Amino acid sequence: MYIDSHCHINFPELAARMPEILAKMAENQVTHALCVSVDLPDFPQVLALAHQHPHIYASVGVHPDYEDTPEPSVEQLVQLADDPKIIAIGETGLDYFRLEGDLEWQRERFRTHIKASRITRKPLIIHTRSASEDTIRIMREEGAGTEAGGVAGVMHCFTESLEVARAAIEMGFYISFSGIVTFKSAKDLQAVALELPLERILIETDSPYLAPVPFRGRMNEPGFVAHVGEYIAKLKGVSVEQVAEQTTANFRTLFNVPA
Ligand SMILES: [Zn+2]
Ligand SMILES: [Zn+2]
């Protein structure tokens, strides 16, 4: 049994194929998927999916790559998160790879999400790309993580160094690997996954992007998270069942959802 800890099945290319997507999940023993919000205009659809399907959870947040979109306030995020199917705040974070120039608005938006997470006690889903130093600094400044009296979260679609992973884990965070870890070229990331304890690892698709091997280049979907799990099992030399069980347990512990 697997859980896809991060997907965007509300995006039209996937939303149009819902019955097929749910069938593929069942076929691959993917029991649940967390549909992650990227902006406020799309949030009602994300929430509706979670309400319609018992196997779908949802989050509320505004992605750091969405520049021209309504800016959320702390109060707004807190209010929108007030639903049992909303189990996380995000995705949020920093992305200095996709956008450049004065990105102070991105950092402010990130701080807003951390504050909302502390108030709601719902974990953060953090996206960080070419910005790990500022990401960790702002997490510390805003009291993200269990050490600082906040709640933990996940560094999603992780592609940073072992050092960054360890800094996040020290704050009580989990590290989530996507299909990228299965790519031949991802030697550094594979070395990171090998070092980290399975107790701190989540798996995800980030679908519709980043399909894992053997589906690389195709449209990704939550059912394919099984291939990420299988790859990590092979990499670590443990059984597929162990990876499935542990990553599922990690998801349930982090997001506070009993089996
Ligand atoms: Zn992301
Ligand atoms: Zn995402």
Side-chain angles (χ1 to χ4, degrees):
M1 286 196 335
Y2 294 101
I3 297 181
D4 181 1
S5 72
H6 190 117
C7 66
H8 300 287
I9 46 175
N10 62 303
F11 287 9
E13 59 269 49
L14 290 176
R17 297 172 48 229
M18 253 344 248
E20 228 181 293
I21 281 163
L22 293 168
K24 179 63 82 183
M25 282 172 64
E27 190 187 311
N28 287 359
Q29 297 187 326
V30 180
T31 60
H32 293 82
L34 171 48
C35 181
V36 175
S37 166
V38 293
D39 66 8
L40 296 179
D42 280 355
F43 175 71
Q45 285 161 277
V46 171
L47 184 62
L49 273 178
H51 283 165
Q52 279 158 19
H53 304 289
H55 303 282
I56 307 296
Y57 300 112
S59 73
V60 61
V62 182
H63 194 292
D65 285 349
Y66 287 59
E67 192 171 2
D68 298 312
T69 195
E71 202 59 44
S73 67
V74 176
E75 295 69 29
Q76 206 172 5
L77 290 175
V78 169
Q79 198 183 8
L80 293 174
D82 188 19
D83 184 292
K85 283 311 274 290
I86 302 295
I87 60 171
I89 303 293
E91 59 181 289
T92 181
L94 302 176
D95 192 331
Y96 298 167
F97 183 82
R98 290 281 291 278
L99 296 175
E100 34 188 52
D102 180 5
L103 297 179
E104 186 55 26
W105 60 269
Q106 229 184 42
R107 291 183 285 273
E108 277 308 309
R109 186 184 288 175
F110 185 28
R111 291 181 192 276
T112 297
H113 284 77
I114 299 175
K115 290 186 175 94
S117 164
R118 286 181 59 102
I119 294 169
T120 59
R121 312 306 293 171
K122 296 193 183 193
L124 287 160
I125 299 170
I126 295 182
H127 169 114
T128 182
R129 205 160 170 213
S130 304
S132 58
E133 223 172 278
D134 279 3
T135 303
I136 297 287
R137 174 175 61 80
I138 291 175
M139 285 164 71
R140 289 200 176 112
E141 285 173 5
E142 295 294 336
T146 44
E147 291 279 285
V151 273
V154 55
M155 307 300 277
H156 110 88
C157 197
F158 194 77
T159 52
E160 303 295 326
S161 66
L162 183 59
E163 201 186 352
V164 173
R166 284 187 171 144
I169 287 173
E170 248 170 60
M171 284 186 258
F173 273 68
Y174 289 77
I175 306 298
S176 180
F177 293 100
S178 69
I180 293 177
V181 78
T182 70
F183 297 171
K184 249 204 180 95
S185 54
K187 294 281 174 261
D188 291 350
L189 188 61
Q190 289 156 5
V192 172
L194 189 58
E195 278 300 312
L196 297 183
L198 198 52
E199 288 70 25
R200 301 312 273 180
I201 290 177
L202 295 182
I203 52 175
E204 67 172 80
T205 58
D206 207 8
S207 49
Y209 315 117
L210 298 170
V213 173
F215 302 113
R216 188 170 181 180
R218 276 177 49 184
M219 196 197 300
N220 200 1
E221 59 177 87
F224 293 170
V225 82
H227 297 281
V228 179
E230 282 165 21
Y231 183 87
I232 287 178
K234 211 189 295 166
L235 182 73
K236 286 185 165 299
V238 299
S239 71
V240 171
E241 291 73 25
Q242 201 180 334
V243 170
E245 255 170 54
Q246 187 64 55
T247 55
T248 296
N250 294 345
F251 180 96
R252 294 194 173 288
T253 303
L254 172 63
F255 294 112
N256 211 1
V257 278

